[in-house]
C-alpha cells in the first residue's frame, strides 16, 4: 500500500526544489534485490548473528569461518541486480547541484546502478586488504582457498569492510559529515538507524533545520526526527519520491 498522494507529492516537491540533497541507504534498499538484511529474517547464516562475525575479534579468532560467511555473501550478492530504488537514486544524482549518496551497504549495487557521487561508509565486500603489507584491491572472483593470502607477501587478506569497533575510514567520514552539515534534505532509506555513527545523521540534519524524509517498512529511532516518514518498500517509493514529475495515479 503506497503512502497517500498528498504526503508523497509534498515530499516530492521538497526533494525537487532543494539544491543540496543527501541520500543515506541501508540494507533495506538492497533487500528487494535479494540481499539479506542484517537484522531482518533471512539475514542469519548458520544461525550466527552477523554482529558476532563482523568484528576484528571474530576474524582474529577464526579467519576461516569469517571468510566462509563473506564467501557465502559474495556468492549470493554476485547474482543480485540493482532494483528500481537503486536506479532512482542514481538518476537524481545528475539532477542536483550538490548531491551525495552515503551508503552503509557493502554490496556494490549502487555503483552497479550508476551512482558515482557516493561514499561506501562501511566499505566494500568486493575489496580485500592485506593485514601485513596493506595491499588493497577489488576481487570479484572467488578464492581458491580460505582464508585468502596476499599475492605480494603471503599475508592474511581481510574483507575491505568496516567491522564493529573499527573507525569509519577518514575520507568517507569527512565527506559524509561535511554533507550532513550542509544538505537541505536528507532521505534516509531502508536503514534501521541503530548503527553509529550513521544513525545520528538524521538527528543532526533535523536539529539544524534541514528536512529528513524516511522510507522504511517500519518505524525506527529516526522516525520522530523525520518531517515525512513513508511506510513501504524503497523499490516502490523511491522512484515516486525522487521522480522529476509527479506520478498522479489515474
Ligand atoms: C565506530 C560492514 C568508533 C560489515 C557494518 C558497543 C560495543 C562496540 C561498538 C559499539 C557499541 N555501541 C556502539 C558501538 C558502535 C558501533 C555500533 O553502532 N553498534 C551498534 C549496533 C550498537 N559502531 C561501530 O562500531 C562503527 N564504528 O563506532 O567506530 C571508533 C572510533 C575510533 C576508533 C575505534 C572505533 C562501525 C560500524 C560499522 C559496522 N559494519 N557493515 C559487513 O557488512 O560485514 S554495519 C551493518 O549494519 C551493515 O553495513 C548494515 O548496512 C548496517 C546497518 O544496518 P542497516 O543497513 O540499517 O540494516 P538492518 O538490517 O539493520 O535494517 C534494515 C532496515 O531496512 C530495517 O529497518 C527494515 O525495516 C528495512 N527494510 C527491509 N526491507 C525493506 C526495508 N525498508 C524499505 N523497503 C524494503 N524493501
Ligand atoms: Zn601483503
Amino acid at each position: 500500500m503506497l503512502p497517500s498522494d498528498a504526503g508523497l507529492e509534498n515530499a516530492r516537491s521538497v526533494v525537487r526544489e532543494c539544491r543540496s540533497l543527501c541520500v543515506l541507504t541501508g540494507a533495506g534498499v538492497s533487500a528487494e534485490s535479494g540481499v539479506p538484511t542484517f537484522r531482518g529474517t533471512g539475514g542469519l547464516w548458520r544461525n550466527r548473528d552477523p554482529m558476532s562475525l563482523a568484528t576484528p575479534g571474530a576474524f582474529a579468532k577464526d579467519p576461516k569461518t569469517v571468510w566462509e560467511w563473506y564467501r557465502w555473501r559474495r556468492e549470493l550478492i554476485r547474482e543480485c541486480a540493482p532494483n528500481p530504488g537503486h536506479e532512482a537514486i542514481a538518476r537524481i544524482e545528475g539532477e542536483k547541484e550538490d548531491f551525495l549518496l552515503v551508503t552503509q551497504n557493502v554490496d556494490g549495487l549502487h555503483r552497479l546502478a550508476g551512482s558515482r557521487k557516493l561514499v561506501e561508509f562501511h566499505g566494500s565486500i568486493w575489496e580485500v586488504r592485506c593485514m601485513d603489507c596493506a595491499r588493497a584491491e577489488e576481487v570479484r572472483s572467488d578464492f581458491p582457498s580460505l582464508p585468502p593470502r596476499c599475492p605480494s607477501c603471503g599475508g592474511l587478506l581481510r574483507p575491505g569492510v568496516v567491522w564493529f569497533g573499527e573507525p569509519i575510514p577518514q575520507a568517507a567520514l569527512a565527506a559524509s559529515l561535511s554533507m550532513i552539515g550542509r544538505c537541505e534534505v536528507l532521505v534516509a532509506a531502508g536503514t534501521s538507524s541503530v548503527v553509529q555513527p550513521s544513525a545520528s545523521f538524521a538527528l543532526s540534519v533535523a536539529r539544524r533545520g534541514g528536512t529528513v524524509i524516511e522510507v522504511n517498512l517500519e518505524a525506527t529511532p529516526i522516525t520522530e526526527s523525520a518531517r515525512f516518514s513513508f511506510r513501504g518498500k524503497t523499490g516502490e517509493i523511491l522512484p515516486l519520491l525522487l521522480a522529476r514529475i509527479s506520478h498522479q495515479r489515474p
Side-chain angles (χ1 to χ4, degrees), residues 3 7-8 11-12 14-15 21-26 28-29 104 185-194 198-199 202-203 205-206 210-234 236-238 241-242:
L8 199 54
R12 199 189 65 79
V14 166
V15 168
L21 172 68
C22 184
V23 178
L24 170 67
T25 61
V29 168
Q104 300 172 89
V185 177
L186 169 70
V187 173
T191 180
S192 58
S193 292
V194 295
S198 51
L203 195 56
V205 171
T211 297
V212 175
I213 301 172
E214 179 180 35
V215 182
N216 199 307
L217 294 176
E218 61 186 10
T220 71
I222 69 161
T223 300
E224 58 195 33
S225 313
R227 184 172 151 201
F228 303 92
S229 186
F230 298 116
R231 287 293 156 273
K233 292 184 172 183
T234 50
E236 292 172 6
I237 294 178
L238 287 177
L241 176 65
L242 304 180

Side-chain angles (χ1 to χ4, degrees), residues 94-143:
E95 296 164 13
K96 285 293 164 193
E97 198 182 314
D98 186 21
F99 178 89
L100 186 66
L101 163 62
V102 179
T103 186
Q104 300 172 89
N105 301 338
V106 299
D107 54 37
L109 291 182
H110 282 299
R111 202 177 291 280
L112 222 51
S115 286
R116 290 297 174 270
K117 292 183 181 170
L118 87 156
V119 166
E120 291 178 315
F121 204 63
H122 293 156
S124 166
I125 201 165
W126 301 114
E127 191 187 291
V128 291
R129 196 168 63 239
C130 176
M131 304 281 277
D132 291 344
C133 73
R135 170 187 162 142
E137 59 184 331
E138 183 170 293
V139 176
R140 285 195 171 262
S141 54
D142 195 3
F143 302 103

Side-chain angles (χ1 to χ4, degrees), residues 36-66:
T37 62
F38 256 68
R39 289 164 189 82
T41 50
L44 295 183
W45 172 75
R46 291 186 192 165
N47 283 330
R48 291 287 302 271
D49 174 3
M51 296 288 289
S52 70
L53 289 160
T55 70
F59 187 74
K61 192 160 149 263
D62 185 353
K64 190 166 182 299
T65 299
V66 172

